[in-house]
Amino acid sequence: MEIDGNDSFEEKYLLVAKADNVKHISSLLKAVNFKDVGVCFATEHGLKIVVEDSKCVQANTFIGSEIFQEYHLNDDTVAFRVDLNTLIECLTVFDGCSTNPSSTTALKLTYKEYGSPVKLLLEEGGIITDCSLRTMEVFDILDFSIPAESTVSKIILRSSDFKDILNDIDGTSDYVEFTFSEEPQYFKILTSGIAGKCSVEIPSKSEIMEQFVCNATITVKYKYKQIKPFLKCMNISQKTLIRTNEDGLLCCQFMVQVDSHTCYLEYFCTPIVDED
């Protein structure tokens, strides 16, 4: 797919991005698609899409500028809200249509000015589809973060193994309880549902555990329905990093390999506060 790459063309738009294979981008977006609307932030480093639910759960996907064959930004930061379901439908419009399994869909994304639609031009096998998505004003979003000095526990596990463990959780459970134990060192998952209580304990020396750091034993509960969405992140990731602070804020980071590049998904969840 050819696009005009001269300076005069690029200067007309706040954002222009071109990718030879849109599948990587759609996979990253699907992993955080647990709500209808996402906020897109474009910086010189690439695209960050943020999805929130009830101000207590937030998922981010980072698509670095190196993933795109062309990436041009004419402002420090460009931000807009977009319907995530519609965006993914457009990006996957050719899925299942090609008779050539090795074929890829190319993408050109343009955003002209604030309030204008996002334009998507997709091409596969000489067939071109042109899409236009309405954008919305960006509202304030929560600034979740766990600075290194505030980290109480940090573990890194193989995503495939951790996913198998979470898949066995009783789906009727109201909550999931995580325990990070300083001594002896282990990570424990506890649920309670119709079938009763179930717990899985993973020692720090387990073969699925790549790193275990715990400065103090901490046990925190999270709503199961808020934990469940990050299973989709583990479907495409190789490693999962889990961190907590003393207040029990949960941060899960997922490392996703895209060709020779690494992308990251990030998931924050606030704990259940027990009422006395």
Side-chain angles (χ1 to χ4, degrees), residues 79-145:
F80 52 84
R81 285 194 305 147
V82 68
D83 187 296
L84 206 53
N85 294 325
T86 305
L87 175 58
I88 292 172
E89 285 180 10
C90 293
L91 295 178
T92 58
V93 67
F94 288 110
D95 283 12
C97 298
S98 177
T99 57
N100 182 1
S102 62
S103 62
T104 58
T105 301
L107 165 72
K108 182 181 76 173
L109 180 152
T110 58
Y111 180 63
K112 190 170 186 179
E113 58 188 4
Y114 292 103
S116 68
V118 170
K119 298 292 184 72
L120 305 174
L121 191 65
L122 298 116
E123 184 270 334
E124 182 176 318
I127 301 175
I128 297 176
T129 296
D130 192 357
C131 306
S132 178
L133 277 71
R134 181 173 65 92
T135 58
M136 297 165 277
E137 183 181 354
V138 175
F139 298 138
D140 290 337
I141 62 173
L142 293 178
D143 183 19
F144 283 119
S145 65

Side-chain angles (χ1 to χ4, degrees), residues 2 16 27 74-75 80 106 109-110 126 131 144 149 191 204 256 269:
E2 297 293 331
V16 176
S27 295
N74 287 323
D75 205 341
F80 52 84
L109 180 152
T110 58
C131 306
F144 283 119
E149 63 272 15
T191 61
S204 62
V256 181
C269 182

Side-chain angles (χ1 to χ4, degrees), residues 176-244:
V176 178
E177 183 179 275
F178 289 164
T179 296
F180 303 84
S181 175
E182 180 182 18
E183 187 60 42
Q185 293 186 332
Y186 63 80
F187 172 54
K188 184 170 75 173
I189 305 166
L190 173 69
T191 61
S192 180
I194 294 176
K197 289 189 176 182
C198 176
S199 67
V200 178
E201 188 174 298
I202 308 172
S204 62
K205 301 299 184 182
S206 169
E207 63 178 10
I208 77 169
M209 189 82 69
E210 296 195 6
Q211 185 179 9
F212 186 98
V213 178
C214 184
N215 299 323
T217 298
I218 182 173
T219 298
V220 196
K221 288 182 180 179
Y222 307 95
K223 291 182 179 179
Y224 173 67
K225 66 179 181 180
Q226 294 174 343
I227 292 294
K228 189 177 180 180
F230 75 50
L231 287 171
K232 292 194 295 184
C233 298
M234 282 184 281
N235 286 334
I236 62 172
S237 67
Q238 286 72 49
K239 297 181 182 181
T240 299
L241 184 153
I242 304 175
R243 294 189 298 137
T244 58

Side-chain angles (χ1 to χ4, degrees), residues 56-74:
C56 57
V57 176
Q58 184 184 94
N60 309 313
T61 181
F62 301 91
I63 307 172
S65 58
E66 67 276 4
I67 301 299
F68 299 93
Q69 277 63 56
E70 293 185 22
Y71 185 86
H72 304 279
L73 187 69
N74 287 323

